[in-house]
Amino acid sequence: MSTVNTLLTYEGIPIWRHVRVIQWMLQIVSAIVIVALLAWFFTNIGNAVQDRDIPFGFTFLDREYQTPIGEHFIPYDSSDTFRYAMFVAVTNTLLVAVLGVIAATALGVVIGVARLSSNWILSKVALVYIEFFRNVPLLVQLLFWLFIVLALPPVRRGFEIADSIYINNAGISFPGPNSGGSFSMTLIWVAMIALGIALGVVAHKLLSKRELVSGRASYPVAAGFAVAAGVAALSWLALAAVGDAPMIVTSPEPAGRFGRIAGGVTIRAGLLILLIGLVIYTAAFIAEIVRAGIQSVGRGQVEAARAMGLSPMQALRHVTFPQALRVIIPPLISQCLNLTKNSSLGGAVGYTDLTNVGITMTQTAPAVSIFLLIMLAYLAMSLAWSVTGNLYNRYISFERR
Amino acid sequence: MASNFDTTAILPPPRSETGALGWARANLFSTPFNSALTGISLAALTFALVFGLRWVVFSADWSVVATVGHRFVIGSYNSDQACPGNNCFWRPQASLLLVTLLMGMAWGVARAGLVRRIAILTAVVAALFALLPYSMDRMGMDVRLLLAANLLTLGAGWALGRYTPFGSTRAIAITSVVFFALTIALMLGFRIGDSNWLQPVDVRHWGGLTLNLILAVAGITLSLPIGIALALGRRSRLPVLKVVCVTFIEVLRGVPLITLLFMSQHIVPLAFPDTFPRNSLLNAGIVITLFSSAYMAENIRGGLQALHPGQAEAARALGLPGWQTMLLISLPQAIRNVIPAIVGQFIGLFKDTSLVYIIGMLDMVEVGRTTITGRPEYQGTAQEMFVFIAIVFWIFTYGMSYISRRVERNLGVGER
């Protein structure tokens, strides 16, 4: 009797009532269930792959894709491999994500501030904007813009403004830098611009510190911009002296009999619609985030700033906004993430984003492998946004405590 | 006590500070900058209103909405392939009767307030649809009668809720589950002998707003409990459970829904033996629900984290076991505090039901798109079509956020 008791007890408690034993049993059972489920799924997939002769694996990545990609911003040719085509698709999605986030944040901040304006009409206009665009599915909005753009006249009979801006159902063309030279030169120049911006930020930091310490006006913002622009211009001149100029500002002109438009910058219809739709939709959410952030700053802060002689704009810029930013950043990151994921609707408006290219690829390559890669790509992008956002968040909360 | 003051000497505030004039001065023209803003907004507003109204009244051709009307509601449910004989239109309408009956019961229990207003509004709008001249050629009159009958069922439901044992919250909860199952059964149909008055309709042919609503209702009902379970799993001290929940949540949140839907149709079936039934509606429902529950889990986790630990400690000190502490103390407070986020997620889920086009289902948006692209005579009416669809979605989503704000006020969120 006593031996049984000692066998079935643990720290003096019957083992079926001991918390740690129960927890361990639960863990083991759940682990077994999950492993069994996964094993079952994978056996089934394996069987299906064998029975129905569905190809699986990643050897297709080295094959030629042999399908055109409607829009691409790095050189692409149908004879390129699947691997490279996938990369092109990722850059397409990244382009929309980055442009969209910048524009949506700008518009969202404006509307969020307008929502809190003391001006009754402006505030109500912002309210209507937010409540409408936030509550209508993005797909409906995208299709609305799509059919508006499709209803525009074709290229040959399109609108022309001052002989330099062309608007038609293929997109919009306006004067701007055209990557006339070689692609590698452009890449080098873009890298130099990034360097210039980094130097500009450093200059801004140093000068604003000097301004704080000495009290003399040091124009940190202007200096920062000047440094960035200077580096960009100098590197352009240097590259132009070495070989092809990387980018030349040209004006779009009709070329050829079919009214093709050459030169300048052309934003094609697919990208244009996707950006308009995503920006208008996401800006409504960001506006609400900005409003909540600004409202989270105590009234006393603004009143104190006004009492010290700051103008309403200055109070917003130097007192309210820096404090609101700490509340704004985390939900803003999740909106950036949402925008990136929502760009997967590009296929509905004729933009070749990652999901759209992936779906097309499944016609000539194993779907399971492709979607595994696509999921990994999206997860990586999500992670990138989170890391960037969290770093920025840490930076601002450290700066202003 | 006699006053020392001559009351007549106290002047009213100047005219310019009160009334409409004062209000305008304070809210529209307080500074030159503000005046400029007012001017610009007014100009833009007038332009938009004039332009918009001119379009709505004169240039827009709304006949497309009326002609496609029944397809907006049910997609190709009543088409020749789906329902030979085209006698299936009454079935979604009959499901609507169940909805108004349920709303009537809720009204009977709640007696007044928001529930009554919503119930009456729904039934009246449904009944008013009977007056619309939409093309119901082959079913004609009976469908209109069914629509008008919504008023009757509302009354019957109210009486049931008011005067019978059905009048309790619990009864309504059970009835709503039963009615949802009934709706699905009615929509699916089955053979009764030789007659085809309830002939089966394949889920591939379900569509229109009915599809959006069915997916949304199922998703909303299921994503909350699954989300709670995931949130608890993520906070669990058991490493295996925790790792599984975290992986599930993060993977689903990191991938676009449209990708998951496409996979559900083309890859997930591979993971099940061939004997498993293939059902696109079920696929879509499961994916939308799981996707939404991953977000829901994060909302609930936020609510649980914001809760003061003293609450759970006090409950434990009073002798409540762990699961009761969670169920009776922590969760109710956590959920109450994140109602806006949860309803936001519900709204997102409803909007996301429009993405089922990727697996070839004909939801309301896809009905609009295929009509525009498939029929040359409607090509010029895309704006009318999508404005109409946008307004229908907006009514539902804005209604949801309105109800959530009312519920929040009733629960006193942020006040205690």
Side-chain angles (χ1 to χ4, degrees):
Chain A
M1 196 60 196
S2 65
T3 49
V4 172
N5 257 345
T6 46
L7 263 180
L8 292 179
T9 55
Y10 178 55
E11 293 174 5
I13 305 168
I15 57 168
W16 57 91
R17 307 221 26 184
H18 195 283
V19 173
R20 286 184 63 181
V21 176
I22 292 174
Q23 286 187 347
W24 270 105
M25 291 311 288
L26 269 178
Q27 292 223 58
I28 292 168
V29 169
S30 53
I32 289 173
V33 168
I34 288 155
V35 169
L37 260 180
L38 285 180
W40 190 60
F41 285 151
F42 280 108
T43 347
N44 282 330
I45 291 183
N47 289 342
V49 164
Q50 273 189 350
D51 295 350
R52 275 172 267 167
D53 209 21
I54 300 168
F56 181 74
F58 294 94
T59 48
F60 74 93
L61 282 173
D62 294 318
R63 259 179 20 221
E64 285 184 11
Y65 180 36
Q66 294 186 327
T67 314
I69 295 179
E71 292 193 44
H72 49 86
F73 303 92
I74 57 176
Y76 170 79
D77 191 81
S78 290
S79 63
D80 283 319
T81 58
F82 269 91
R83 190 193 306 276
Y84 186 68
M86 199 73 120
F87 177 68
V88 171
V90 170
T91 57
N92 280 354
T93 289
L94 276 178
L95 182 85
V96 172
V98 171
L99 290 181
V101 162
I102 294 170
T105 309
L107 184 62
V109 168
V110 169
I111 293 169
V113 171
R115 176 78 189 88
L116 288 175
S117 161
S118 61
N119 188 307
W120 187 82
I121 291 188
L122 194 63
S123 161
K124 289 295 175 258
V125 167
L127 175 73
V128 170
Y129 175 96
I130 293 170
E131 291 298 348
F132 184 76
F133 287 107
R134 201 165 65 132
N135 282 323
V136 171
L138 176 60
L139 181 63
V140 177
Q141 298 185 29
L142 283 174
L143 290 174
F144 180 80
W145 302 121
L146 169 71
F147 284 103
I148 282 190
V149 171
L150 287 185
L152 289 174
V155 183
R156 246 186 310 176
R157 283 180 281 120
F159 301 113
E160 241 181 84
I161 301 167
D163 269 346
S164 51
I165 300 173
Y166 294 82
I167 300 172
N168 47 57
N169 66 6
I172 177 170
S173 307
F174 49 86
N178 190 311
S179 63
S182 70
F183 180 65
S184 52
M185 282 299 206
T186 309
L187 263 188
I188 297 175
W189 193 52
V190 168
M192 293 307 284
I193 290 177
L195 180 72
I197 291 174
L199 287 177
V201 169
V202 171
H204 172 259
K205 284 247 105 128
L206 289 175
L207 285 175
S208 40
K209 198 169 174 186
R210 208 185 89 172
E211 197 174 49
L212 269 180
V213 172
S214 66
R216 271 174 311 175
S218 303
Y219 309 106
V221 178
F225 275 115
V227 168
V231 171
L234 279 178
S235 57
W236 187 86
L237 285 175
L239 286 172
V242 173
D244 294 338
M247 289 237 177
I248 306 167
V249 173
T250 53
S251 196
E253 289 168 6
R257 269 192 305 149
F258 300 104
R260 210 168 56 81
I261 288 176
V265 175
T266 297
I267 300 183
R268 298 233 302 225
L271 175 62
L272 189 68
I273 298 163
L274 188 59
L275 271 180
I276 290 176
L278 281 173
V279 167
I280 288 182
Y281 181 74
T282 315
F285 288 90
I286 294 180
E288 274 298 275
I289 293 170
V290 170
R291 181 189 62 79
I294 292 178
Q295 279 181 335
S296 75
V297 179
R299 275 187 77 86
Q301 295 284 329
V302 184
E303 280 161 9
R306 299 280 287 129
M308 291 183 75
L310 269 68
S311 75
M313 265 308 175
Q314 281 175 326
L316 185 70
R317 161 82 184 77
H318 294 290
V319 178
T320 315
F321 221 73
Q323 297 184 66
L325 220 49
R326 269 184 277 165
V327 181
I328 290 174
I329 292 295
L332 187 65
I333 296 170
S334 90
Q335 283 309 318
C336 297
L337 256 153
N338 281 347
L339 189 144
T340 310
K341 284 186 290 169
N342 283 337
S343 72
S344 62
L345 283 175
V349 294
Y351 182 73
T352 44
D353 74 291
L354 180 55
T355 303
N356 187 26
V357 170
I359 289 176
T360 316
M361 278 182 176
T362 56
Q363 288 162 5
T364 47
V368 182
S369 325
I370 286 172
F371 271 83
L372 214 61
L373 290 177
I374 288 180
M375 277 177 71
L376 281 179
Y378 276 112
L379 285 176
M381 281 188 253
S382 303
L383 197 70
W385 275 126
S386 312
V387 169
T388 322
N390 286 334
L391 278 180
Y392 184 63
N393 201 22
R394 194 185 302 170
Y395 167 73
I396 54 170
S397 45
F398 180 68
E399 273 287 296
R400 322 177 203 277
R401 173 117 346 230
Chain B
M1 195 175 88
S3 169
N4 288 332
F5 293 109
D6 179 7
T7 47
T8 53
I10 300 175
L11 294 172
R15 284 279 299 276
S16 61
E17 298 291 321
T18 57
L21 208 65
W23 180 87
R25 256 182 86 142
N27 292 303
L28 299 177
F29 304 104
S30 56
T31 60
F33 177 66
N34 225 337
S35 306
L37 276 182
T38 305
I40 294 168
S41 330
L42 265 184
L45 210 60
T46 318
F47 175 77
L49 270 182
V50 168
F51 183 79
L53 278 180
R54 264 226 322 252
W55 179 76
V56 167
V57 179
F58 296 113
S59 36
D61 176 15
W62 296 102
S63 65
V64 59
V65 173
T67 335
V68 192
H70 67 288
R71 277 167 47 84
F72 276 139
V73 179
I74 55 166
S76 59
Y77 187 78
N78 200 29
S79 67
D80 291 324
Q81 300 92 25
C83 180
N86 304 103
N87 61 348
C88 296
F89 197 14
W90 67 272
R91 278 148 64 173
Q93 321 289 347
S95 323
L96 187 61
L97 290 180
L98 293 180
V99 174
T100 44
L101 186 70
L102 196 66
M103 285 191 158
M105 284 169 67
W107 170 23
V109 171
R111 306 267 171 103
L114 189 62
V115 180
R116 182 181 66 175
R117 243 176 289 162
I118 293 171
I120 294 179
L121 191 70
T122 312
V124 167
V125 168
L128 281 180
F129 270 111
L131 300 177
L132 275 187
Y134 62 120
S135 65
M136 294 186 287
D137 323 332
R138 276 167 279 199
M139 281 305 289
M141 203 53 209
D142 14 353
V143 172
R144 290 183 211 190
L145 281 179
L146 275 175
L147 281 170
N150 278 303
L151 291 176
L152 292 180
T153 50
L154 182 77
W158 179 80
L160 271 178
R162 188 86 169 75
Y163 299 112
T164 68
F166 283 107
S168 71
T169 321
R170 180 171 301 220
I172 288 179
I174 296 170
T175 319
S176 58
V177 174
V178 173
F179 278 8
F180 188 74
L182 261 180
T183 300
I184 300 292
L186 195 63
M187 294 284 289
L188 275 173
F190 39 84
R191 285 245 169 264
I192 309 169
D194 281 341
S195 76
N196 68 348
W197 69 277
L198 254 181
Q199 57 183 320
V201 177
D202 196 286
V203 288
R204 278 181 300 138
H205 300 295
W206 293 24
L209 187 60
T210 316
L211 175 68
N212 292 107
L213 288 176
I214 287 180
L215 284 173
V217 168
I220 284 172
T221 325
L222 293 174
S223 67
L224 190 58
I226 298 176
I228 291 173
L230 283 172
L232 295 183
R234 190 172 186 161
R235 283 169 63 89
S236 157
R237 269 169 301 158
L238 310 179
V240 174
L241 204 59
K242 187 171 179 168
V243 165
V244 169
C245 288
V246 169
T247 318
F248 185 86
I249 292 172
E250 292 305 332
V251 167
L252 255 67
R253 268 162 37 97
V255 177
L257 177 57
I258 195 166
T259 313
L260 292 171
L261 277 170
F262 187 83
M263 283 174 67
S264 80
Q265 192 76 336
H266 296 93
I267 293 168
V268 174
L270 297 179
F272 292 93
D274 288 342
T275 46
F276 263 58
R278 302 281 148 86
N279 185 326
S280 52
L281 180 74
L282 204 60
N283 274 349
I286 291 174
V287 169
I288 290 176
T289 306
L290 290 182
F291 182 77
S292 190
S293 59
Y295 283 85
M296 200 63 76
E298 288 300 271
N299 291 337
I300 303 225
R301 188 170 70 108
L304 285 171
Q305 267 176 359
L307 210 60
H308 197 277
Q311 294 285 336
E313 281 163 14
R316 293 309 297 270
L318 284 169
L320 287 176
W323 63 273
Q324 277 192 355
T325 306
M326 187 45 84
L327 218 61
L328 301 176
I329 307 295
S330 300
L331 266 181
Q333 297 185 67
I335 290 175
R336 198 191 70 164
N337 287 337
V338 290
I339 287 177
I342 291 178
V343 175
Q345 191 52 46
F346 287 164
I347 292 175
L349 188 151
F350 182 58
K351 287 187 293 177
D352 281 345
T353 58
S354 63
L355 300 185
V356 291
Y357 81 91
I358 198 80
I359 57 173
M361 300 206 77
L362 207 63
D363 80 306
M364 186 167 174
V365 182
E366 189 64 356
V367 166
R369 201 183 68 84
T370 49
T371 311
I372 297 297
T373 53
R375 300 214 203 147
E377 69 264 35
Y378 293 139
Q379 229 140 49
T381 57
Q383 274 69 48
E384 289 85 338
M385 187 76 97
F386 290 111
V387 165
F388 174 76
I389 296 175
I391 289 172
V392 172
F393 268 97
W394 185 83
I395 289 171
F396 281 96
T397 47
Y398 188 76
M400 277 152 89
S401 73
Y402 175 76
I403 293 170
S404 111
R405 267 175 305 201
R406 289 295 301 264
V407 169
E408 249 183 282
R409 217 172 62 193
N410 290 351
L411 290 176
V413 176
E415 288 164 23
R416 58 187 159 104

